[in-house]
Amino acid sequence: VGGALAAALLLAGIGIVIFKYSVRLPLGTFFGATSALLGVLAVVFTGHGVAALQEAGLVRASGLDFDPVPLIGLYPTVQSLAAQLAVLAVLIGGYWWTRRSALRMRVA
């Protein structure tokens, strides 16, 4: 209950600050940075998720020869790296598609 109350107060404080200073907040830069952070987190969480499934024995693990780096979700298995590369490819494809669409709208 204390944690929920503290989180609610913190969220209210952040909301007040955003509303008060939103005129000066560069929204394009803000949302670009948060989108990049979410993309990085998606790749990291994918690595952790596949590693957890491998530890549970639900996904096969084909090992590679390097040390794991759990902080960034990098594990030495073909399956985890393939999943992370797939997520990264989707993110790059989405970024490319969005930029391409924005350029077409400017030209038209």
Side-chain angles (χ1 to χ4, degrees), residues 20-79:
K20 186 174 180 178
Y21 297 107
S22 65
V23 174
R24 296 183 208 143
L25 185 65
L27 292 179
T29 304
F30 175 76
F31 285 118
T34 56
S35 296
L37 178 62
L38 287 173
V40 169
L41 289 174
V43 173
V44 171
F45 290 160
T46 299
H48 288 302
V50 172
L53 290 171
Q54 289 173 331
E55 189 175 317
L58 298 174
V59 174
R60 205 181 67 179
S62 303
L64 297 171
D65 190 26
F66 66 89
D67 292 330
V69 186
L71 182 65
I72 58 172
L74 192 60
Y75 294 94
T77 64
V78 172
Q79 293 80 7

